[in-house]
Amino acid sequence: MRKVMLFLPAVALSALACVGTAQAESAPGCESTVQIGSTGYVKKNGTTIASVKQFKGCGKNWAYTYVWDSYAAQPGGFSSSAAMVVNGDRDYGSNVNGRNKQHVWSKGTSTLTKCTRAYGEVWGDGNVYSGQTDERC
């Protein structure tokens, strides 16, 4: 019995290490993206359900939203989006929506010389939850 009790916490810790962390891929059409600025978070009633990051690469800025496993597993599915905010205004032309997609990249914007932030949304239970990164100028 003692052996089982020692084994269970190790299993629980290793499972927790894998929950909610995103290993971002490269942006569509650009394999050399690098994250800039801090990671933002989308929260539902105080619980984090997604991460939002801003990347630069190939002469463009990119927004990236990653929906955490815990929210993605909800019954009925979910939708998510990623968009750039340029000089304080949401760039709707960069917006990309995904149905039941945990990884969503915005369209790249040629805005490296402007103040930008990444913006992400997640919805699926009748409410829209959003988050954004810090602004980078």
Side-chain angles (χ1 to χ4, degrees):
M1 181 72 167
R2 180 170 244 205
K3 197 176 209 179
V4 171
M5 291 181 74
L6 292 173
F7 178 73
L8 288 176
V11 169
L13 286 175
S14 66
L16 284 175
C18 296
V19 173
T21 56
Q23 296 301 321
E25 304 167 21
S26 296
C30 179
E31 294 186 20
S32 60
T33 54
V34 175
Q35 182 177 350
I36 57 174
S38 63
T39 301
Y41 297 96
V42 177
K43 296 189 177 204
K44 174 185 175 182
N45 301 325
T47 301
T48 301
I49 62 171
S51 303
V52 181
K53 297 180 180 184
Q54 181 178 184
F55 290 82
K56 69 176 182 176
C58 301
K60 297 181 179 187
N61 289 104
W62 308 80
Y64 172 75
T65 302
Y66 173 75
V67 179
W68 289 20
D69 292 342
S70 55
Y71 191 84
Q74 75 171 351
F78 66 95
S79 292
S80 55
S81 69
M84 290 302 303
V85 175
V86 182
N87 292 330
D89 294 320
R90 188 165 166 194
D91 180 354
Y92 287 95
S94 71
N95 193 75
V96 173
N97 293 326
R99 178 76 182 137
N100 293 324
K101 293 188 189 254
Q102 285 186 265
H103 304 267
V104 178
W105 285 91
S106 72
K107 295 176 186 171
T109 59
S110 298
T111 54
L112 290 176
T113 60
K114 298 182 180 182
C115 295
T116 57
R117 68 177 68 229
Y119 175 83
E121 288 184 341
V122 179
W123 63 97
D125 62 0
N127 296 296
V128 177
Y129 307 98
S130 64
Q132 56 189 348
T133 64
D134 60 332
E135 187 172 63
R136 302 287 297 179
C137 293

PDB file of all heavy atoms in Angstrom, residues 17-51:
ATOM      1  N   ALA A  17       2.097  18.718 -15.220  1.00  0.00           N
ATOM      2  CA  ALA A  17       3.120  19.391 -16.017  1.00  0.00           C
ATOM      3  C   ALA A  17       2.700  19.505 -17.477  1.00  0.00           C
ATOM      4  O   ALA A  17       3.172  20.379 -18.192  1.00  0.00           O
ATOM      5  CB  ALA A  17       4.446  18.633 -15.922  1.00  0.00           C
ATOM      6  N   CYS A  18       1.790  18.657 -17.932  1.00  0.00           N
ATOM      7  CA  CYS A  18       1.383  18.652 -19.339  1.00  0.00           C
ATOM      8  C   CYS A  18       0.094  19.424 -19.593  1.00  0.00           C
ATOM      9  O   CYS A  18      -0.299  19.604 -20.730  1.00  0.00           O
ATOM     10  CB  CYS A  18       1.197  17.210 -19.822  1.00  0.00           C
ATOM     11  SG  CYS A  18       2.724  16.271 -19.780  1.00  0.00           S
ATOM     12  N   VAL A  19      -0.586  19.884 -18.556  1.00  0.00           N
ATOM     13  CA  VAL A  19      -1.885  20.519 -18.727  1.00  0.00           C
ATOM     14  C   VAL A  19      -1.717  21.995 -19.057  1.00  0.00           C
ATOM     15  O   VAL A  19      -1.048  22.721 -18.342  1.00  0.00           O
ATOM     16  CB  VAL A  19      -2.731  20.370 -17.440  1.00  0.00           C
ATOM     17  CG1 VAL A  19      -4.017  21.161 -17.536  1.00  0.00           C
ATOM     18  CG2 VAL A  19      -3.029  18.912 -17.189  1.00  0.00           C
ATOM     19  N   GLY A  20      -2.313  22.428 -20.148  1.00  0.00           N
ATOM     20  CA  GLY A  20      -2.438  23.835 -20.446  1.00  0.00           C
ATOM     21  C   GLY A  20      -1.235  24.534 -21.039  1.00  0.00           C
ATOM     22  O   GLY A  20      -1.312  25.709 -21.317  1.00  0.00           O
ATOM     23  N   THR A  21      -0.138  23.886 -21.207  1.00  0.00           N
ATOM     24  CA  THR A  21       1.001  24.562 -21.802  1.00  0.00           C
ATOM     25  C   THR A  21       0.987  24.353 -23.304  1.00  0.00           C
ATOM     26  O   THR A  21       0.690  23.277 -23.784  1.00  0.00           O
ATOM     27  CB  THR A  21       2.329  24.060 -21.212  1.00  0.00           C
ATOM     28  OG1 THR A  21       2.404  22.656 -21.393  1.00  0.00           O
ATOM     29  CG2 THR A  21       2.442  24.393 -19.750  1.00  0.00           C
ATOM     30  N   ALA A  22       1.306  25.393 -24.014  1.00  0.00           N
ATOM     31  CA  ALA A  22       1.266  25.311 -25.472  1.00  0.00           C
ATOM     32  C   ALA A  22       2.675  25.297 -26.032  1.00  0.00           C
ATOM     33  O   ALA A  22       3.517  26.057 -25.604  1.00  0.00           O
ATOM     34  CB  ALA A  22       0.510  26.520 -26.028  1.00  0.00           C
ATOM     35  N   GLN A  23       2.903  24.434 -26.948  1.00  0.00           N
ATOM     36  CA  GLN A  23       4.137  24.448 -27.711  1.00  0.00           C
ATOM     37  C   GLN A  23       3.771  24.983 -29.085  1.00  0.00           C
ATOM     38  O   GLN A  23       3.252  24.265 -29.922  1.00  0.00           O
ATOM     39  CB  GLN A  23       4.735  23.032 -27.806  1.00  0.00           C
ATOM     40  CG  GLN A  23       5.151  22.469 -26.472  1.00  0.00           C
ATOM     41  CD  GLN A  23       6.186  23.326 -25.774  1.00  0.00           C
ATOM     42  OE1 GLN A  23       7.081  23.862 -26.390  1.00  0.00           O
ATOM     43  NE2 GLN A  23       6.041  23.473 -24.474  1.00  0.00           N
ATOM     44  N   ALA A  24       3.988  26.272 -29.251  1.00  0.00           N
ATOM     45  CA  ALA A  24       3.552  26.937 -30.480  1.00  0.00           C
ATOM     46  C   ALA A  24       4.296  26.403 -31.693  1.00  0.00           C
ATOM     47  O   ALA A  24       5.476  26.120 -31.636  1.00  0.00           O
ATOM     48  CB  ALA A  24       3.779  28.435 -30.361  1.00  0.00           C
ATOM     49  N   GLU A  25       3.568  26.274 -32.769  1.00  0.00           N
ATOM     50  CA  GLU A  25       4.146  25.907 -34.053  1.00  0.00           C
ATOM     51  C   GLU A  25       4.582  27.194 -34.742  1.00  0.00           C
ATOM     52  O   GLU A  25       4.465  28.265 -34.182  1.00  0.00           O
ATOM     53  CB  GLU A  25       3.085  25.205 -34.888  1.00  0.00           C
ATOM     54  CG  GLU A  25       2.472  23.995 -34.210  1.00  0.00           C
ATOM     55  CD  GLU A  25       1.229  23.520 -34.929  1.00  0.00           C
ATOM     56  OE1 GLU A  25       1.042  23.836 -36.111  1.00  0.00           O
ATOM     57  OE2 GLU A  25       0.438  22.830 -34.290  1.00  0.00           O
ATOM     58  N   SER A  26       5.037  27.072 -35.944  1.00  0.00           N
ATOM     59  CA  SER A  26       5.346  28.253 -36.743  1.00  0.00           C
ATOM     60  C   SER A  26       4.067  28.786 -37.374  1.00  0.00           C
ATOM     61  O   SER A  26       3.144  28.031 -37.657  1.00  0.00           O
ATOM     62  CB  SER A  26       6.338  27.888 -37.846  1.00  0.00           C
ATOM     63  OG  SER A  26       7.553  27.479 -37.283  1.00  0.00           O
ATOM     64  N   ALA A  27       4.050  30.081 -37.603  1.00  0.00           N
ATOM     65  CA  ALA A  27       2.893  30.693 -38.247  1.00  0.00           C
ATOM     66  C   ALA A  27       2.726  30.127 -39.652  1.00  0.00           C
ATOM     67  O   ALA A  27       3.709  29.762 -40.294  1.00  0.00           O
ATOM     68  CB  ALA A  27       3.082  32.202 -38.311  1.00  0.00           C
ATOM     69  N   PRO A  28       1.500  30.066 -40.153  1.00  0.00           N
ATOM     70  CA  PRO A  28       1.276  29.557 -41.509  1.00  0.00           C
ATOM     71  C   PRO A  28       2.072  30.355 -42.545  1.00  0.00           C
ATOM     72  O   PRO A  28       1.975  31.572 -42.604  1.00  0.00           O
ATOM     73  CB  PRO A  28      -0.227  29.745 -41.717  1.00  0.00           C
ATOM     74  CG  PRO A  28      -0.801  29.857 -40.353  1.00  0.00           C
ATOM     75  CD  PRO A  28       0.269  30.464 -39.496  1.00  0.00           C
ATOM     76  N   GLY A  29       2.894  29.675 -43.294  1.00  0.00           N
ATOM     77  CA  GLY A  29       3.682  30.322 -44.326  1.00  0.00           C
ATOM     78  C   GLY A  29       4.954  30.994 -43.833  1.00  0.00           C
ATOM     79  O   GLY A  29       5.647  31.639 -44.608  1.00  0.00           O
ATOM     80  N   CYS A  30       5.269  30.857 -42.534  1.00  0.00           N
ATOM     81  CA  CYS A  30       6.468  31.485 -41.979  1.00  0.00           C
ATOM     82  C   CYS A  30       7.040  30.580 -40.895  1.00  0.00           C
ATOM     83  O   CYS A  30       6.454  30.451 -39.826  1.00  0.00           O
ATOM     84  CB  CYS A  30       6.153  32.860 -41.400  1.00  0.00           C
ATOM     85  SG  CYS A  30       7.590  33.669 -40.683  1.00  0.00           S
ATOM     86  N   GLU A  31       8.161  29.972 -41.175  1.00  0.00           N
ATOM     87  CA  GLU A  31       8.745  29.026 -40.226  1.00  0.00           C
ATOM     88  C   GLU A  31       9.679  29.665 -39.212  1.00  0.00           C
ATOM     89  O   GLU A  31      10.154  28.992 -38.313  1.00  0.00           O
ATOM     90  CB  GLU A  31       9.480  27.926 -40.992  1.00  0.00           C
ATOM     91  CG  GLU A  31       8.532  27.061 -41.793  1.00  0.00           C
ATOM     92  CD  GLU A  31       9.230  25.886 -42.435  1.00  0.00           C
ATOM     93  OE1 GLU A  31      10.324  25.520 -41.979  1.00  0.00           O
ATOM     94  OE2 GLU A  31       8.664  25.343 -43.386  1.00  0.00           O
ATOM     95  N   SER A  32       9.941  30.962 -39.325  1.00  0.00           N
ATOM     96  CA  SER A  32      10.914  31.588 -38.436  1.00  0.00           C
ATOM     97  C   SER A  32      10.280  32.629 -37.517  1.00  0.00           C
ATOM     98  O   SER A  32      10.753  33.754 -37.427  1.00  0.00           O
ATOM     99  CB  SER A  32      12.039  32.218 -39.255  1.00  0.00           C
ATOM    100  OG  SER A  32      11.509  33.205 -40.130  1.00  0.00           O
ATOM    101  N   THR A  33       9.215  32.275 -36.820  1.00  0.00           N
ATOM    102  CA  THR A  33       8.575  33.210 -35.904  1.00  0.00           C
ATOM    103  C   THR A  33       9.213  33.122 -34.522  1.00  0.00           C
ATOM    104  O   THR A  33       9.668  32.068 -34.093  1.00  0.00           O
ATOM    105  CB  THR A  33       7.067  32.926 -35.782  1.00  0.00           C
ATOM    106  OG1 THR A  33       6.877  31.566 -35.423  1.00  0.00           O
ATOM    107  CG2 THR A  33       6.347  33.240 -37.072  1.00  0.00           C
ATOM    108  N   VAL A  34       9.221  34.267 -33.836  1.00  0.00           N
ATOM    109  CA  VAL A  34       9.760  34.378 -32.486  1.00  0.00           C
ATOM    110  C   VAL A  34       8.741  35.135 -31.649  1.00  0.00           C
ATOM    111  O   VAL A  34       8.231  36.180 -32.075  1.00  0.00           O
ATOM    112  CB  VAL A  34      11.094  35.156 -32.498  1.00  0.00           C
ATOM    113  CG1 VAL A  34      11.610  35.382 -31.097  1.00  0.00           C
ATOM    114  CG2 VAL A  34      12.126  34.448 -33.345  1.00  0.00           C
ATOM    115  N   GLN A  35       8.452  34.632 -30.443  1.00  0.00           N
ATOM    116  CA  GLN A  35       7.510  35.333 -29.579  1.00  0.00           C
ATOM    117  C   GLN A  35       8.095  36.656 -29.123  1.00  0.00           C
ATOM    118  O   GLN A  35       9.275  36.742 -28.784  1.00  0.00           O
ATOM    119  CB  GLN A  35       7.151  34.491 -28.355  1.00  0.00           C
ATOM    120  CG  GLN A  35       6.123  35.190 -27.466  1.00  0.00           C
ATOM    121  CD  GLN A  35       5.684  34.375 -26.270  1.00  0.00           C
ATOM    122  OE1 GLN A  35       5.992  33.188 -26.156  1.00  0.00           O
ATOM    123  NE2 GLN A  35       4.964  35.000 -25.370  1.00  0.00           N
ATOM    124  N   ILE A  36       7.249  37.694 -29.133  1.00  0.00           N
ATOM    125  CA  ILE A  36       7.649  38.996 -28.601  1.00  0.00           C
ATOM    126  C   ILE A  36       6.644  39.388 -27.522  1.00  0.00           C
ATOM    127  O   ILE A  36       5.452  39.140 -27.640  1.00  0.00           O
ATOM    128  CB  ILE A  36       7.748  40.083 -29.695  1.00  0.00           C
ATOM    129  CG1 ILE A  36       6.433  40.240 -30.459  1.00  0.00           C
ATOM    130  CG2 ILE A  36       8.887  39.773 -30.652  1.00  0.00           C
ATOM    131  CD1 ILE A  36       6.431  41.401 -31.461  1.00  0.00           C
ATOM    132  N   GLY A  37       7.124  39.975 -26.459  1.00  0.00           N
ATOM    133  CA  GLY A  37       6.245  40.394 -25.370  1.00  0.00           C
ATOM    134  C   GLY A  37       5.813  39.234 -24.495  1.00  0.00           C
ATOM    135  O   GLY A  37       6.243  38.092 -24.660  1.00  0.00           O
ATOM    136  N   SER A  38       4.965  39.576 -23.553  1.00  0.00           N
ATOM    137  CA  SER A  38       4.495  38.588 -22.586  1.00  0.00           C
ATOM    138  C   SER A  38       3.317  37.787 -23.137  1.00  0.00           C
ATOM    139  O   SER A  38       2.692  38.176 -24.122  1.00  0.00           O
ATOM    140  CB  SER A  38       4.069  39.288 -21.299  1.00  0.00           C
ATOM    141  OG  SER A  38       2.970  40.143 -21.562  1.00  0.00           O
ATOM    142  N   THR A  39       3.033  36.688 -22.504  1.00  0.00           N
ATOM    143  CA  THR A  39       1.869  35.864 -22.843  1.00  0.00           C
ATOM    144  C   THR A  39       0.651  36.434 -22.137  1.00  0.00           C
ATOM    145  O   THR A  39       0.704  36.754 -20.953  1.00  0.00           O
ATOM    146  CB  THR A  39       2.093  34.406 -22.408  1.00  0.00           C
ATOM    147  OG1 THR A  39       3.256  33.901 -23.070  1.00  0.00           O
ATOM    148  CG2 THR A  39       0.894  33.527 -22.740  1.00  0.00           C
ATOM    149  N   GLY A  40      -0.452  36.557 -22.884  1.00  0.00           N
ATOM    150  CA  GLY A  40      -1.718  36.971 -22.297  1.00  0.00           C
ATOM    151  C   GLY A  40      -2.585  35.739 -22.064  1.00  0.00           C
ATOM    152  O   GLY A  40      -2.306  34.660 -22.601  1.00  0.00           O
ATOM    153  N   TYR A  41      -3.635  35.901 -21.276  1.00  0.00           N
ATOM    154  CA  TYR A  41      -4.483  34.760 -20.941  1.00  0.00           C
ATOM    155  C   TYR A  41      -5.953  35.106 -21.099  1.00  0.00           C
ATOM    156  O   TYR A  41      -6.374  36.222 -20.828  1.00  0.00           O
ATOM    157  CB  TYR A  41      -4.211  34.296 -19.512  1.00  0.00           C
ATOM    158  CG  TYR A  41      -2.789  33.805 -19.360  1.00  0.00           C
ATOM    159  CD1 TYR A  41      -1.794  34.639 -18.877  1.00  0.00           C
ATOM    160  CD2 TYR A  41      -2.441  32.524 -19.766  1.00  0.00           C
ATOM    161  CE1 TYR A  41      -0.480  34.199 -18.774  1.00  0.00           C
ATOM    162  CE2 TYR A  41      -1.130  32.077 -19.667  1.00  0.00           C
ATOM    163  CZ  TYR A  41      -0.163  32.928 -19.167  1.00  0.00           C
ATOM    164  OH  TYR A  41       1.134  32.492 -19.084  1.00  0.00           O
ATOM    165  N   VAL A  42      -6.721  34.118 -21.553  1.00  0.00           N
ATOM    166  CA  VAL A  42      -8.169  34.211 -21.640  1.00  0.00           C
ATOM    167  C   VAL A  42      -8.698  33.453 -20.433  1.00  0.00           C
ATOM    168  O   VAL A  42      -8.332  32.293 -20.215  1.00  0.00           O
ATOM    169  CB  VAL A  42      -8.694  33.577 -22.944  1.00  0.00           C
ATOM    170  CG1 VAL A  42     -10.211  33.625 -22.994  1.00  0.00           C
ATOM    171  CG2 VAL A  42      -8.080  34.261 -24.159  1.00  0.00           C
ATOM    172  N   LYS A  43      -9.560  34.112 -19.648  1.00  0.00           N
ATOM    173  CA  LYS A  43     -10.081  33.491 -18.436  1.00  0.00           C
ATOM    174  C   LYS A  43     -11.598  33.427 -18.447  1.00  0.00           C
ATOM    175  O   LYS A  43     -12.265  34.319 -18.972  1.00  0.00           O
ATOM    176  CB  LYS A  43      -9.610  34.260 -17.208  1.00  0.00           C
ATOM    177  CG  LYS A  43      -8.103  34.208 -17.061  1.00  0.00           C
ATOM    178  CD  LYS A  43      -7.646  34.777 -15.755  1.00  0.00           C
ATOM    179  CE  LYS A  43      -6.135  34.616 -15.673  1.00  0.00           C
ATOM    180  NZ  LYS A  43      -5.661  34.601 -14.331  1.00  0.00           N
ATOM    181  N   LYS A  44     -12.094  32.360 -17.851  1.00  0.00           N
ATOM    182  CA  LYS A  44     -13.533  32.164 -17.657  1.00  0.00           C
ATOM    183  C   LYS A  44     -13.749  32.026 -16.155  1.00  0.00           C
ATOM    184  O   LYS A  44     -13.258  31.070 -15.544  1.00  0.00           O
ATOM    185  CB  LYS A  44     -14.011  30.906 -18.376  1.00  0.00           C
ATOM    186  CG  LYS A  44     -15.468  30.563 -18.099  1.00  0.00           C
ATOM    187  CD  LYS A  44     -15.866  29.244 -18.719  1.00  0.00           C
ATOM    188  CE  LYS A  44     -17.286  28.886 -18.318  1.00  0.00           C
ATOM    189  NZ  LYS A  44     -17.705  27.595 -18.867  1.00  0.00           N
ATOM    190  N   ASN A  45     -14.417  33.001 -15.554  1.00  0.00           N
ATOM    191  CA  ASN A  45     -14.668  32.989 -14.114  1.00  0.00           C
ATOM    192  C   ASN A  45     -13.392  32.750 -13.311  1.00  0.00           C
ATOM    193  O   ASN A  45     -13.376  31.967 -12.368  1.00  0.00           O
ATOM    194  CB  ASN A  45     -15.723  31.939 -13.754  1.00  0.00           C
ATOM    195  CG  ASN A  45     -17.037  32.174 -14.463  1.00  0.00           C
ATOM    196  OD1 ASN A  45     -17.437  33.317 -14.676  1.00  0.00           O
ATOM    197  ND2 ASN A  45     -17.703  31.112 -14.864  1.00  0.00           N
ATOM    198  N   GLY A  46     -12.306  33.384 -13.719  1.00  0.00           N
ATOM    199  CA  GLY A  46     -11.044  33.276 -13.001  1.00  0.00           C
ATOM    200  C   GLY A  46     -10.176  32.095 -13.376  1.00  0.00           C
ATOM    201  O   GLY A  46      -9.039  31.983 -12.934  1.00  0.00           O
ATOM    202  N   THR A  47     -10.684  31.192 -14.203  1.00  0.00           N
ATOM    203  CA  THR A  47      -9.922  30.019 -14.637  1.00  0.00           C
ATOM    204  C   THR A  47      -9.379  30.257 -16.040  1.00  0.00           C
ATOM    205  O   THR A  47     -10.127  30.634 -16.938  1.00  0.00           O
ATOM    206  CB  THR A  47     -10.825  28.758 -14.641  1.00  0.00           C
ATOM    207  OG1 THR A  47     -11.327  28.552 -13.319  1.00  0.00           O
ATOM    208  CG2 THR A  47     -10.061  27.537 -15.108  1.00  0.00           C
ATOM    209  N   THR A  48      -8.082  30.038 -16.217  1.00  0.00           N
ATOM    210  CA  THR A  48      -7.473  30.231 -17.527  1.00  0.00           C
ATOM    211  C   THR A  48      -7.938  29.148 -18.482  1.00  0.00           C
ATOM    212  O   THR A  48      -7.876  27.961 -18.169  1.00  0.00           O
ATOM    213  CB  THR A  48      -5.940  30.203 -17.410  1.00  0.00           C
ATOM    214  OG1 THR A  48      -5.533  31.233 -16.508  1.00  0.00           O
ATOM    215  CG2 THR A  48      -5.286  30.432 -18.761  1.00  0.00           C
ATOM    216  N   ILE A  49      -8.415  29.576 -19.656  1.00  0.00           N
ATOM    217  CA  ILE A  49      -8.888  28.620 -20.669  1.00  0.00           C
ATOM    218  C   ILE A  49      -8.084  28.699 -21.965  1.00  0.00           C
ATOM    219  O   ILE A  49      -8.209  27.829 -22.818  1.00  0.00           O
ATOM    220  CB  ILE A  49     -10.393  28.786 -20.956  1.00  0.00           C
ATOM    221  CG1 ILE A  49     -10.711  30.180 -21.510  1.00  0.00           C
ATOM    222  CG2 ILE A  49     -11.212  28.482 -19.696  1.00  0.00           C
ATOM    223  CD1 ILE A  49     -12.140  30.335 -22.011  1.00  0.00           C
ATOM    224  N   ALA A  50      -7.266  29.744 -22.111  1.00  0.00           N
ATOM    225  CA  ALA A  50      -6.467  29.874 -23.337  1.00  0.00           C
ATOM    226  C   ALA A  50      -5.295  30.823 -23.093  1.00  0.00           C
ATOM    227  O   ALA A  50      -5.326  31.654 -22.186  1.00  0.00           O
ATOM    228  CB  ALA A  50      -7.317  30.396 -24.493  1.00  0.00           C
ATOM    229  N   SER A  51      -4.278  30.674 -23.931  1.00  0.00           N
ATOM    230  CA  SER A  51      -3.120  31.561 -23.938  1.00  0.00           C
ATOM    231  C   SER A  51      -3.124  32.363 -25.230  1.00  0.00           C
ATOM    232  O   SER A  51      -3.546  31.862 -26.269  1.00  0.00           O
ATOM    233  CB  SER A  51      -1.817  30.751 -23.891  1.00  0.00           C
ATOM    234  OG  SER A  51      -1.793  29.915 -22.773  1.00  0.00           O
TER     235      SER A  51
END
